[in-house]
Amino acid sequence: MAEETRKRKADHIKICLGQKVQARKATTGFEDIHLIHKALPEINRAKIDLSTTVFGHKFAAPIIVGAMTGGTEEATRINATIAEAVEQLQLGMGVGSQRAAIEDKELAKTFSVARKKAPSAFLVANIGGVQLVNGYGVKEAKKAVEMIDADALAIHLNTLQEAMQPEGQTNFEGVLARIGEVAEALDKPVIVKETGAGIAAEEARKLEAIGVKGIDVSGCGGTSFAAVEHYRGGKEKQVLADTFWDWGIPTAASLIETTQTVKIPIIASGGLRSGTDVAKALTLNSCLASISQPLLENAVISGKETEKTLSRFVEELRNTMFLVGARETKDLVKVPVVITGKTAEWATKRGFKVGNYARRGAL
Ligand SMILES: Cc1cc2nc3c(=O)[nH]c(=O)nc-3n(C[C@H](O)[C@H](O)[C@H](O)COP(=O)(O)O)c2cc1C
């Protein structure tokens, strides 16, 4: 089993580097979020403070690298490279699903290298929700956390991917209750994350009620796991995966749905490709932004490239804040925003506000 998981993970890296796996027709909806330029900002760009504290941890900027990999030699190098960069910049990162290493101790170092290279950065452990249905429980969740001395545990939901996989696990009955058991037993915050198809208000409410401490929406518009599986399946699966290539709740819509429904911190991800996207996500009341696939491309080149890309995100965020007159990241929820197009239509039809946001108390 571990071998099969390892092979799948190696396939994912290869495909995400060599093929076009981004959404084709779907977009994140960030193109509908307009920040209003402020010609008289009355702030000094040099004094802008990007730092933020979430889950009791201080980040130099509200940016993390999303869960991607582990389990192979190449994955060790990727995790090490990303970890060094986020340590240097005082950001955070998630490791990929730790299932392979929970089943085969030998593989633990392919994940724990992240803590070795990032002694003080915020690290997120990762297991699959479907694994909780198939026998995993508190013991395995604790193992994942201990393996990388994690600051939080992400439980990922990936129905789209499982439905597309030739070997996919598609029984999710009882998954919410199992997540609740883990959230209650762990002394680290449990974050539930999607993997590119987004989270709706109804699910966010249930997750908050069961004791989950954070939600990473991972919406549609960026990396598509139907696309990834398209390149792994036979002809029949390819057609199926094609149909679902753009499936999911666009990231901006998912942020509106979740931030206006629950009080727990919301992480924005799924197709964030600039610091301006990060600023828009924070304007919609998320507290951290997570980027995955673009950083994978950098991490296989060098640590320098990885740091350069993350620094670009940071500086673009700083510039955007300067242009809208936001001195601190928490000011972003107060800046005027205009929501247009399909995102405004979505929000209105689902009963959400499209105007300005009041800051929630819980962060
Ligand atoms: C190569 C690759 C592997 C991934 N593996 C995992 C995983 O093991 N666990 C997980 O929760 N998400 C995984 N993801 C999903 C990402 O964490 C993220 O939710 C998704 O890629 C959307 O972000 P992006 O558009 O910035 O890539 C993976 C993504 C990529 C690109």
Side-chain angles (χ1 to χ4, degrees):
M1 182 54 96
E3 187 49 40
E4 189 191 308
T5 310
R6 225 150 63 122
K7 160 101 176 53
R8 184 166 59 242
K9 288 282 140 188
D11 278 358
H12 284 162
I13 296 295
K14 211 167 99 199
I15 291 166
C16 286
L17 287 170
Q19 306 285 353
K20 290 197 169 112
V21 294
Q22 300 301 294
R24 273 190 308 218
K25 294 188 201 114
T27 60
T28 56
F30 284 127
E31 69 281 7
D32 294 330
I33 312 297
H34 306 274
L35 303 177
I36 314 292
H37 176 68
K38 194 170 186 176
L40 288 170
E42 294 294 346
I43 60 170
N44 178 350
R45 186 183 181 279
K47 289 188 186 161
I48 289 175
D49 181 7
L50 296 180
S51 71
T52 188
T53 300
V54 191
F55 303 120
H57 183 96
K58 188 168 180 190
F59 297 76
I63 293 172
I64 62 174
V65 179
M68 281 189 283
T69 199
T72 64
E73 252 176 57
E74 188 186 22
T76 313
R77 286 194 296 274
I78 293 167
N79 278 338
T81 303
I82 295 173
E84 274 171 356
V86 300
E87 179 72 14
Q88 184 64 30
L89 300 173
Q90 295 173 57
L91 306 175
M93 74 177 277
V95 295
S97 168
Q98 290 164 265
R99 181 178 163 203
I102 289 169
E103 283 161 26
D104 178 357
K105 272 206 306 247
E106 288 287 298
L107 301 178
K109 56 184 184 296
T110 69
F111 295 93
S112 60
V113 67
R115 180 52 87 203
K116 204 166 133 205
K117 300 288 183 184
S120 68
F122 189 80
L123 294 190
V124 188
N126 192 293
I127 58 171
V130 76
Q131 257 63 65
L132 293 175
V133 178
N134 290 332
Y136 274 24
V138 173
K139 191 170 132 220
E140 288 76 14
K142 282 187 173 163
K143 254 193 201 173
V145 169
E146 279 160 20
M147 195 186 297
I148 65 162
D149 187 17
D151 300 288
L153 171 72
I155 299 177
H156 69 260
L157 300 175
N158 64 337
T159 46
L160 174 64
Q161 181 188 14
E162 297 290 351
M164 298 298 118
Q165 278 180 9
E167 68 281 27
Q169 295 177 305
T170 47
N171 177 12
F172 276 70
E173 272 175 5
V175 66
L176 180 67
R178 301 289 287 157
I179 291 172
E181 283 163 28
V182 173
E184 193 178 321
L186 248 59
D187 56 1
K188 302 281 179 187
V190 166
I191 300 164
V192 168
K193 77 181 283 292
E194 241 291 340
T195 45
I199 293 188
E202 292 84 346
E203 274 66 50
R205 194 174 288 122
K206 286 179 192 162
L207 291 166
E208 183 180 53
I210 210 145
V212 165
K213 296 293 190 296
I215 292 173
D216 177 342
V217 298
S218 191
C220 173
T223 305
S224 159
F225 263 88
V228 175
E229 296 305 331
H230 164 95
Y231 295 104
R232 292 187 65 239
K235 194 106 196 110
E236 222 170 278
K237 283 281 174 185
Q238 280 186 7
V239 175
L240 179 70
D242 258 14
T243 305
F244 291 93
W245 196 293
D246 293 297
W247 176 268
I249 306 170
T251 300
S254 191
L255 287 176
I256 290 171
E257 296 242 344
T258 51
T259 58
Q260 293 189 31
T261 304
V262 295
K263 290 203 158 56
I264 52 176
I266 301 296
I267 302 171
S269 76
L272 276 74
R273 297 295 177 257
S274 71
T276 305
D277 286 346
V278 174
K280 289 178 178 181
L282 265 65
T283 305
L284 295 181
N285 224 339
S286 53
C287 59
L288 286 174
S290 169
I291 302 117
S292 293
Q293 198 272 346
L295 272 311
L296 178 66
E297 289 191 357
N298 294 127
V300 292
I301 301 172
S302 68
K304 222 171 160 187
E305 281 301 306
T306 310
E307 237 184 84
K308 220 164 87 185
T309 297
L310 283 169
S311 299
R312 170 177 71 81
F313 272 89
V314 170
E315 289 316 307
E316 286 170 350
L317 171 62
R318 194 190 309 279
N319 266 340
T320 311
M321 287 173 65
F322 179 52
L323 297 175
V324 298
R327 209 178 300 267
E328 299 175 42
T329 48
K330 69 172 170 3
D331 294 337
L332 279 169
V333 281
K334 296 182 222 150
V335 305
V337 56
V338 174
I339 303 178
T340 60
K342 69 165 190 195
T343 308
E345 212 176 301
W346 178 298
T348 309
K349 289 212 164 115
R350 292 270 289 159
F352 296 109
K353 284 187 295 186
V354 289
N356 268 26
Y357 289 78
R359 183 146 183 91
R360 295 170 298 150
L363 305 185

